[in-house]
Amino acid sequence: VRLVESGGGLVQPGGSLRLSCTASGFTFKLFTMVWVRQRPGKGVEWVSAIGRDEIGTYYTESVKGRFRISRDNAFNTISLQMNNLKTEDTAIYYCAKPKSGGSWSEGPWDLGQGTQVSVSS
């Protein structure tokens, strides 16, 4: 499993960023894919997930209405459009694939290397 994220950076509150992830090493279209994050001093938490059919999407309460997840099974990619970013969104964001026997919301997950998102004025 290989997951490579890109698109993080520093942005002011209210700004936007788009994260992308390219997956390889497994049959991408068969798995629900997840974005998880680790905020400073906190554990890993799921942020958003998208079903293998490209239709079902899920968002943790704090990002609903601000983040939008998408995937392209033809190119083995998922993306996370993040709008109206808040300081509490500051975290390392990881692209994640649920491991065998795990769940998309609880893990465990295979993770990419992560990308830093910093929201600060």
mmCIF file of all heavy atoms in Angstrom, residues 64-105:
data_model
loop_
_atom_site.group_PDB
_atom_site.id
_atom_site.type_symbol
_atom_site.label_atom_id
_atom_site.label_comp_id
_atom_site.label_asym_id
_atom_site.label_seq_id
_atom_site.Cartn_x
_atom_site.Cartn_y
_atom_site.Cartn_z
ATOM 1 N N LYS A 64 -18.403 19.616 8.694
ATOM 2 C CA LYS A 64 -19.563 19.568 7.802
ATOM 3 C C LYS A 64 -19.874 20.953 7.255
ATOM 4 O O LYS A 64 -19.868 21.936 7.991
ATOM 5 C CB LYS A 64 -20.785 19.030 8.552
ATOM 6 C CG LYS A 64 -20.779 17.537 8.736
ATOM 7 C CD LYS A 64 -22.027 17.060 9.460
ATOM 8 C CE LYS A 64 -22.006 15.560 9.660
ATOM 9 N NZ LYS A 64 -23.182 15.076 10.418
ATOM 10 N N GLY A 65 -20.143 21.012 5.963
ATOM 11 C CA GLY A 65 -20.447 22.273 5.316
ATOM 12 C C GLY A 65 -19.225 23.063 4.896
ATOM 13 O O GLY A 65 -19.339 24.058 4.186
ATOM 14 N N ARG A 66 -18.042 22.642 5.327
ATOM 15 C CA ARG A 66 -16.807 23.351 4.978
ATOM 16 C C ARG A 66 -15.870 22.500 4.126
ATOM 17 O O ARG A 66 -15.155 23.038 3.275
ATOM 18 C CB ARG A 66 -16.068 23.776 6.257
ATOM 19 C CG ARG A 66 -16.877 24.676 7.160
ATOM 20 C CD ARG A 66 -16.026 25.229 8.312
ATOM 21 N NE ARG A 66 -15.521 24.201 9.203
ATOM 22 C CZ ARG A 66 -14.226 23.957 9.414
ATOM 23 N NH1 ARG A 66 -13.294 24.678 8.788
ATOM 24 N NH2 ARG A 66 -13.857 23.019 10.271
ATOM 25 N N PHE A 67 -15.861 21.200 4.351
ATOM 26 C CA PHE A 67 -14.973 20.299 3.620
ATOM 27 C C PHE A 67 -15.800 19.464 2.641
ATOM 28 O O PHE A 67 -16.959 19.140 2.888
ATOM 29 C CB PHE A 67 -14.258 19.351 4.574
ATOM 30 C CG PHE A 67 -13.217 19.987 5.455
ATOM 31 C CD1 PHE A 67 -13.094 21.372 5.566
ATOM 32 C CD2 PHE A 67 -12.341 19.197 6.183
ATOM 33 C CE1 PHE A 67 -12.133 21.936 6.377
ATOM 34 C CE2 PHE A 67 -11.368 19.742 7.006
ATOM 35 C CZ PHE A 67 -11.266 21.120 7.109
ATOM 36 N N ARG A 68 -15.158 19.095 1.529
ATOM 37 C CA ARG A 68 -15.807 18.218 0.562
ATOM 38 C C ARG A 68 -14.798 17.204 0.053
ATOM 39 O O ARG A 68 -13.732 17.564 -0.440
ATOM 40 C CB ARG A 68 -16.395 18.999 -0.609
ATOM 41 C CG ARG A 68 -17.217 18.118 -1.563
ATOM 42 C CD ARG A 68 -17.950 18.978 -2.579
ATOM 43 N NE ARG A 68 -17.023 19.586 -3.517
ATOM 44 C CZ ARG A 68 -16.565 19.009 -4.612
ATOM 45 N NH1 ARG A 68 -16.966 17.772 -4.907
ATOM 46 N NH2 ARG A 68 -15.740 19.642 -5.407
ATOM 47 N N ILE A 69 -15.168 15.932 0.178
ATOM 48 C CA ILE A 69 -14.290 14.847 -0.271
ATOM 49 C C ILE A 69 -14.744 14.351 -1.627
ATOM 50 O O ILE A 69 -15.950 14.376 -1.949
ATOM 51 C CB ILE A 69 -14.278 13.689 0.769
ATOM 52 C CG1 ILE A 69 -13.171 12.686 0.460
ATOM 53 C CG2 ILE A 69 -15.646 13.022 0.845
ATOM 54 C CD1 ILE A 69 -12.971 11.656 1.582
ATOM 55 N N SER A 70 -13.794 13.922 -2.432
ATOM 56 C CA SER A 70 -14.126 13.343 -3.731
ATOM 57 C C SER A 70 -13.083 12.292 -4.069
ATOM 58 O O SER A 70 -12.018 12.231 -3.444
ATOM 59 C CB SER A 70 -14.180 14.429 -4.809
ATOM 60 O OG SER A 70 -12.937 15.092 -4.913
ATOM 61 N N ARG A 71 -13.393 11.461 -5.042
ATOM 62 C CA ARG A 71 -12.436 10.454 -5.494
ATOM 63 C C ARG A 71 -12.610 10.229 -6.987
ATOM 64 O O ARG A 71 -13.671 10.499 -7.555
ATOM 65 C CB ARG A 71 -12.604 9.138 -4.737
ATOM 66 C CG ARG A 71 -13.862 8.369 -5.046
ATOM 67 C CD ARG A 71 -14.011 7.172 -4.095
ATOM 68 N NE ARG A 71 -13.040 6.116 -4.356
ATOM 69 C CZ ARG A 71 -12.790 5.111 -3.500
ATOM 70 N NH1 ARG A 71 -13.444 5.055 -2.333
ATOM 71 N NH2 ARG A 71 -11.902 4.185 -3.801
ATOM 72 N N ASP A 72 -11.556 9.716 -7.587
ATOM 73 C CA ASP A 72 -11.586 9.353 -9.000
ATOM 74 C C ASP A 72 -10.989 7.960 -9.110
ATOM 75 O O ASP A 72 -9.761 7.793 -9.027
ATOM 76 C CB ASP A 72 -10.786 10.365 -9.832
ATOM 77 C CG ASP A 72 -10.948 10.129 -11.319
ATOM 78 O OD1 ASP A 72 -11.262 8.980 -11.727
ATOM 79 O OD2 ASP A 72 -10.758 11.085 -12.086
ATOM 80 N N ASN A 73 -11.855 6.972 -9.267
ATOM 81 C CA ASN A 73 -11.382 5.583 -9.309
ATOM 82 C C ASN A 73 -10.568 5.292 -10.573
ATOM 83 O O ASN A 73 -9.804 4.329 -10.607
ATOM 84 C CB ASN A 73 -12.562 4.622 -9.205
ATOM 85 C CG ASN A 73 -13.136 4.555 -7.794
ATOM 86 O OD1 ASN A 73 -12.496 4.987 -6.821
ATOM 87 N ND2 ASN A 73 -14.342 4.031 -7.665
ATOM 88 N N ALA A 74 -10.721 6.094 -11.594
ATOM 89 C CA ALA A 74 -9.948 5.879 -12.820
ATOM 90 C C ALA A 74 -8.473 6.223 -12.606
ATOM 91 O O ALA A 74 -7.600 5.675 -13.291
ATOM 92 C CB ALA A 74 -10.525 6.711 -13.956
ATOM 93 N N PHE A 75 -8.216 7.129 -11.671
ATOM 94 C CA PHE A 75 -6.843 7.588 -11.434
ATOM 95 C C PHE A 75 -6.332 7.255 -10.037
ATOM 96 O O PHE A 75 -5.239 7.677 -9.657
ATOM 97 C CB PHE A 75 -6.737 9.096 -11.683
ATOM 98 C CG PHE A 75 -6.934 9.467 -13.115
ATOM 99 C CD1 PHE A 75 -8.169 9.901 -13.579
ATOM 100 C CD2 PHE A 75 -5.885 9.373 -14.020
ATOM 101 C CE1 PHE A 75 -8.352 10.237 -14.911
ATOM 102 C CE2 PHE A 75 -6.054 9.705 -15.352
ATOM 103 C CZ PHE A 75 -7.294 10.136 -15.792
ATOM 104 N N ASN A 76 -7.133 6.503 -9.263
ATOM 105 C CA ASN A 76 -6.730 6.106 -7.904
ATOM 106 C C ASN A 76 -6.388 7.312 -7.036
ATOM 107 O O ASN A 76 -5.354 7.335 -6.359
ATOM 108 C CB ASN A 76 -5.532 5.147 -7.940
ATOM 109 C CG ASN A 76 -5.893 3.760 -8.437
ATOM 110 O OD1 ASN A 76 -7.025 3.533 -8.864
ATOM 111 N ND2 ASN A 76 -4.947 2.851 -8.404
ATOM 112 N N THR A 77 -7.252 8.301 -7.072
ATOM 113 C CA THR A 77 -7.000 9.509 -6.280
ATOM 114 C C THR A 77 -8.196 9.875 -5.419
ATOM 115 O O THR A 77 -9.341 9.580 -5.760
ATOM 116 C CB THR A 77 -6.679 10.706 -7.183
ATOM 117 O OG1 THR A 77 -7.790 10.947 -8.064
ATOM 118 C CG2 THR A 77 -5.431 10.458 -8.011
ATOM 119 N N ILE A 78 -7.912 10.491 -4.296
ATOM 120 C CA ILE A 78 -8.946 11.160 -3.520
ATOM 121 C C ILE A 78 -8.489 12.578 -3.229
ATOM 122 O O ILE A 78 -7.281 12.861 -3.248
ATOM 123 C CB ILE A 78 -9.296 10.432 -2.194
ATOM 124 C CG1 ILE A 78 -8.105 10.397 -1.228
ATOM 125 C CG2 ILE A 78 -9.829 9.046 -2.456
ATOM 126 C CD1 ILE A 78 -8.485 9.955 0.174
ATOM 127 N N SER A 79 -9.445 13.450 -2.995
ATOM 128 C CA SER A 79 -9.146 14.846 -2.708
ATOM 129 C C SER A 79 -10.006 15.325 -1.546
ATOM 130 O O SER A 79 -11.048 14.740 -1.257
ATOM 131 C CB SER A 79 -9.422 15.711 -3.937
ATOM 132 O OG SER A 79 -8.570 15.365 -5.004
ATOM 133 N N LEU A 80 -9.538 16.371 -0.913
ATOM 134 C CA LEU A 80 -10.298 17.005 0.159
ATOM 135 C C LEU A 80 -10.239 18.512 -0.054
ATOM 136 O O LEU A 80 -9.177 19.106 0.102
ATOM 137 C CB LEU A 80 -9.750 16.630 1.531
ATOM 138 C CG LEU A 80 -10.564 17.111 2.721
ATOM 139 C CD1 LEU A 80 -11.918 16.381 2.777
ATOM 140 C CD2 LEU A 80 -9.815 16.916 4.035
ATOM 141 N N GLN A 81 -11.352 19.085 -0.444
ATOM 142 C CA GLN A 81 -11.445 20.527 -0.574
ATOM 143 C C GLN A 81 -11.847 21.095 0.778
ATOM 144 O O GLN A 81 -12.900 20.733 1.316
ATOM 145 C CB GLN A 81 -12.480 20.901 -1.640
ATOM 146 C CG GLN A 81 -12.695 22.385 -1.806
ATOM 147 C CD GLN A 81 -11.479 23.104 -2.327
ATOM 148 O OE1 GLN A 81 -10.792 22.603 -3.238
ATOM 149 N NE2 GLN A 81 -11.157 24.270 -1.774
ATOM 150 N N MET A 82 -11.008 21.956 1.308
ATOM 151 C CA MET A 82 -11.236 22.523 2.643
ATOM 152 C C MET A 82 -11.449 24.023 2.514
ATOM 153 O O MET A 82 -10.551 24.749 2.072
ATOM 154 C CB MET A 82 -10.039 22.230 3.547
ATOM 155 C CG MET A 82 -9.685 20.745 3.617
ATOM 156 S SD MET A 82 -8.392 20.401 4.819
ATOM 157 C CE MET A 82 -7.009 21.267 4.071
ATOM 158 N N ASN A 83 -12.643 24.463 2.856
ATOM 159 C CA ASN A 83 -12.997 25.877 2.784
ATOM 160 C C ASN A 83 -13.258 26.424 4.178
ATOM 161 O O ASN A 83 -13.490 25.662 5.130
ATOM 162 C CB ASN A 83 -14.238 26.058 1.913
ATOM 163 C CG ASN A 83 -14.035 25.589 0.489
ATOM 164 O OD1 ASN A 83 -12.956 25.743 -0.082
ATOM 165 N ND2 ASN A 83 -15.075 25.018 -0.093
ATOM 166 N N ASN A 84 -13.221 27.744 4.278
ATOM 167 C CA ASN A 84 -13.491 28.419 5.560
ATOM 168 C C ASN A 84 -12.695 27.767 6.692
ATOM 169 O O ASN A 84 -13.235 27.423 7.744
ATOM 170 C CB ASN A 84 -14.986 28.388 5.870
ATOM 171 C CG ASN A 84 -15.345 29.281 7.037
ATOM 172 O OD1 ASN A 84 -14.597 30.205 7.379
ATOM 173 N ND2 ASN A 84 -16.470 28.999 7.661
ATOM 174 N N LEU A 85 -11.411 27.618 6.459
ATOM 175 C CA LEU A 85 -10.560 26.940 7.437
ATOM 176 C C LEU A 85 -10.479 27.721 8.741
ATOM 177 O O LEU A 85 -10.501 28.965 8.747
ATOM 178 C CB LEU A 85 -9.167 26.721 6.852
ATOM 179 C CG LEU A 85 -9.087 25.537 5.874
ATOM 180 C CD1 LEU A 85 -7.875 25.674 4.961
ATOM 181 C CD2 LEU A 85 -9.056 24.231 6.641
ATOM 182 N N LYS A 86 -10.398 26.967 9.826
ATOM 183 C CA LYS A 86 -10.321 27.541 11.165
ATOM 184 C C LYS A 86 -9.001 27.139 11.807
ATOM 185 O O LYS A 86 -8.387 26.144 11.416
ATOM 186 C CB LYS A 86 -11.495 27.037 12.002
ATOM 187 C CG LYS A 86 -12.857 27.334 11.398
ATOM 188 C CD LYS A 86 -13.975 26.771 12.248
ATOM 189 C CE LYS A 86 -15.348 27.089 11.648
ATOM 190 N NZ LYS A 86 -16.448 26.580 12.481
ATOM 191 N N THR A 87 -8.602 27.895 12.826
ATOM 192 C CA THR A 87 -7.331 27.579 13.480
ATOM 193 C C THR A 87 -7.334 26.154 14.038
ATOM 194 O O THR A 87 -6.296 25.489 14.053
ATOM 195 C CB THR A 87 -7.034 28.577 14.597
ATOM 196 O OG1 THR A 87 -8.144 28.608 15.513
ATOM 197 C CG2 THR A 87 -6.815 29.976 14.026
ATOM 198 N N GLU A 88 -8.511 25.696 14.445
ATOM 199 C CA GLU A 88 -8.581 24.337 15.006
ATOM 200 C C GLU A 88 -8.470 23.238 13.952
ATOM 201 O O GLU A 88 -8.454 22.058 14.295
ATOM 202 C CB GLU A 88 -9.867 24.150 15.812
ATOM 203 C CG GLU A 88 -11.141 24.500 15.065
ATOM 204 C CD GLU A 88 -11.619 25.911 15.383
ATOM 205 O OE1 GLU A 88 -10.768 26.833 15.479
ATOM 206 O OE2 GLU A 88 -12.852 26.083 15.537
ATOM 207 N N ASP A 89 -8.409 23.621 12.689
ATOM 208 C CA ASP A 89 -8.160 22.644 11.625
ATOM 209 C C ASP A 89 -6.674 22.374 11.448
ATOM 210 O O ASP A 89 -6.284 21.496 10.662
ATOM 211 C CB ASP A 89 -8.741 23.126 10.298
ATOM 212 C CG ASP A 89 -10.255 23.215 10.313
ATOM 213 O OD1 ASP A 89 -10.905 22.299 10.845
ATOM 214 O OD2 ASP A 89 -10.792 24.215 9.784
ATOM 215 N N THR A 90 -5.831 23.124 12.148
ATOM 216 C CA THR A 90 -4.388 22.906 12.065
ATOM 217 C C THR A 90 -4.056 21.489 12.496
ATOM 218 O O THR A 90 -4.422 21.052 13.597
ATOM 219 C CB THR A 90 -3.652 23.910 12.953
ATOM 220 O OG1 THR A 90 -3.837 25.222 12.426
ATOM 221 C CG2 THR A 90 -2.162 23.585 13.003
ATOM 222 N N ALA A 91 -3.378 20.746 11.608
ATOM 223 C CA ALA A 91 -3.096 19.343 11.876
ATOM 224 C C ALA A 91 -2.235 18.787 10.757
ATOM 225 O O ALA A 91 -2.067 19.422 9.702
ATOM 226 C CB ALA A 91 -4.397 18.537 11.950
ATOM 227 N N ILE A 92 -1.726 17.605 10.987
ATOM 228 C CA ILE A 92 -1.162 16.818 9.891
ATOM 229 C C ILE A 92 -2.309 15.974 9.347
ATOM 230 O O ILE A 92 -2.979 15.264 10.106
ATOM 231 C CB ILE A 92 -0.010 15.914 10.347
ATOM 232 C CG1 ILE A 92 1.113 16.760 10.951
ATOM 233 C CG2 ILE A 92 0.517 15.107 9.157
ATOM 234 C CD1 ILE A 92 2.226 15.935 11.575
ATOM 235 N N TYR A 93 -2.532 16.075 8.059
ATOM 236 C CA TYR A 93 -3.609 15.346 7.403
ATOM 237 C C TYR A 93 -3.037 14.144 6.660
ATOM 238 O O TYR A 93 -2.037 14.269 5.943
ATOM 239 C CB TYR A 93 -4.365 16.252 6.439
ATOM 240 C CG TYR A 93 -5.288 17.218 7.164
ATOM 241 C CD1 TYR A 93 -4.769 18.302 7.860
ATOM 242 C CD2 TYR A 93 -6.669 17.031 7.164
ATOM 243 C CE1 TYR A 93 -5.605 19.178 8.547
ATOM 244 C CE2 TYR A 93 -7.511 17.903 7.843
ATOM 245 C CZ TYR A 93 -6.967 18.960 8.528
ATOM 246 O OH TYR A 93 -7.792 19.826 9.208
ATOM 247 N N TYR A 94 -3.678 13.012 6.850
ATOM 248 C CA TYR A 94 -3.223 11.775 6.235
ATOM 249 C C TYR A 94 -4.318 11.173 5.354
ATOM 250 O O TYR A 94 -5.490 11.142 5.758
ATOM 251 C CB TYR A 94 -2.874 10.734 7.293
ATOM 252 C CG TYR A 94 -1.764 11.108 8.247
ATOM 253 C CD1 TYR A 94 -2.030 11.779 9.431
ATOM 254 C CD2 TYR A 94 -0.444 10.763 7.973
ATOM 255 C CE1 TYR A 94 -1.023 12.110 10.309
ATOM 256 C CE2 TYR A 94 0.580 11.080 8.851
ATOM 257 C CZ TYR A 94 0.286 11.746 10.014
ATOM 258 O OH TYR A 94 1.297 12.059 10.895
ATOM 259 N N CYS A 95 -3.910 10.681 4.236
ATOM 260 C CA CYS A 95 -4.754 9.830 3.418
ATOM 261 C C CYS A 95 -4.712 8.442 4.053
ATOM 262 O O CYS A 95 -3.625 7.978 4.445
ATOM 263 C CB CYS A 95 -4.187 9.815 1.996
ATOM 264 S SG CYS A 95 -5.043 8.780 0.828
ATOM 265 N N ALA A 96 -5.858 7.764 4.148
ATOM 266 C CA ALA A 96 -5.896 6.516 4.898
ATOM 267 C C ALA A 96 -6.747 5.466 4.211
ATOM 268 O O ALA A 96 -7.813 5.760 3.671
ATOM 269 C CB ALA A 96 -6.449 6.781 6.305
ATOM 270 N N LYS A 97 -6.263 4.243 4.277
ATOM 271 C CA LYS A 97 -6.996 3.083 3.787
ATOM 272 C C LYS A 97 -7.235 2.160 4.981
ATOM 273 O O LYS A 97 -6.282 1.807 5.683
ATOM 274 C CB LYS A 97 -6.187 2.336 2.725
ATOM 275 C CG LYS A 97 -6.766 0.983 2.342
ATOM 276 C CD LYS A 97 -5.753 0.158 1.601
ATOM 277 C CE LYS A 97 -6.133 -1.320 1.563
ATOM 278 N NZ LYS A 97 -6.125 -1.929 2.922
ATOM 279 N N PRO A 98 -8.476 1.779 5.243
ATOM 280 C CA PRO A 98 -8.722 0.867 6.353
ATOM 281 C C PRO A 98 -7.980 -0.449 6.166
ATOM 282 O O PRO A 98 -7.966 -1.017 5.071
ATOM 283 C CB PRO A 98 -10.235 0.638 6.294
ATOM 284 C CG PRO A 98 -10.779 1.790 5.534
ATOM 285 C CD PRO A 98 -9.725 2.157 4.538
ATOM 286 N N LYS A 99 -7.360 -0.932 7.232
ATOM 287 C CA LYS A 99 -6.691 -2.221 7.156
ATOM 288 C C LYS A 99 -7.712 -3.341 7.225
ATOM 289 O O LYS A 99 -8.834 -3.156 7.690
ATOM 290 C CB LYS A 99 -5.680 -2.367 8.294
ATOM 291 C CG LYS A 99 -4.469 -1.454 8.159
ATOM 292 C CD LYS A 99 -3.376 -1.826 9.158
ATOM 293 C CE LYS A 99 -2.138 -0.984 8.940
ATOM 294 N NZ LYS A 99 -0.997 -1.405 9.788
ATOM 295 N N SER A 100 -7.301 -4.516 6.787
ATOM 296 C CA SER A 100 -8.176 -5.688 6.810
ATOM 297 C C SER A 100 -8.668 -5.940 8.236
ATOM 298 O O SER A 100 -7.876 -5.964 9.182
ATOM 299 C CB SER A 100 -7.411 -6.905 6.292
ATOM 300 O OG SER A 100 -8.215 -8.057 6.369
ATOM 301 N N GLY A 101 -9.997 -6.066 8.380
ATOM 302 C CA GLY A 101 -10.580 -6.296 9.695
ATOM 303 C C GLY A 101 -10.896 -5.039 10.462
ATOM 304 O O GLY A 101 -11.545 -5.092 11.514
ATOM 305 N N GLY A 102 -10.433 -3.906 9.975
ATOM 306 C CA GLY A 102 -10.699 -2.639 10.642
ATOM 307 C C GLY A 102 -11.921 -1.948 10.056
ATOM 308 O O GLY A 102 -12.610 -2.489 9.200
ATOM 309 N N SER A 103 -12.197 -0.758 10.536
ATOM 310 C CA SER A 103 -13.314 0.024 9.997
ATOM 311 C C SER A 103 -12.793 1.376 9.536
ATOM 312 O O SER A 103 -11.754 1.844 10.015
ATOM 313 C CB SER A 103 -14.401 0.222 11.053
ATOM 314 O OG SER A 103 -14.007 1.175 12.025
ATOM 315 N N TRP A 104 -13.556 2.010 8.620
ATOM 316 C CA TRP A 104 -13.052 3.261 8.091
ATOM 317 C C TRP A 104 -13.050 4.353 9.150
ATOM 318 O O TRP A 104 -12.236 5.259 9.095
ATOM 319 C CB TRP A 104 -13.844 3.692 6.863
ATOM 320 C CG TRP A 104 -15.301 4.000 7.081
ATOM 321 C CD1 TRP A 104 -16.342 3.187 6.816
ATOM 322 C CD2 TRP A 104 -15.861 5.232 7.596
ATOM 323 N NE1 TRP A 104 -17.516 3.814 7.137
ATOM 324 C CE2 TRP A 104 -17.262 5.075 7.603
ATOM 325 C CE3 TRP A 104 -15.319 6.434 8.023
ATOM 326 C CZ2 TRP A 104 -18.126 6.079 8.033
ATOM 327 C CZ3 TRP A 104 -16.181 7.448 8.470
ATOM 328 C CH2 TRP A 104 -17.562 7.252 8.472
ATOM 329 N N SER A 105 -13.930 4.263 10.144
ATOM 330 C CA SER A 105 -14.015 5.321 11.141
ATOM 331 C C SER A 105 -13.123 5.081 12.352
ATOM 332 O O SER A 105 -12.687 6.033 13.001
ATOM 333 C CB SER A 105 -15.464 5.493 11.596
ATOM 334 O OG SER A 105 -15.959 4.285 12.138
#
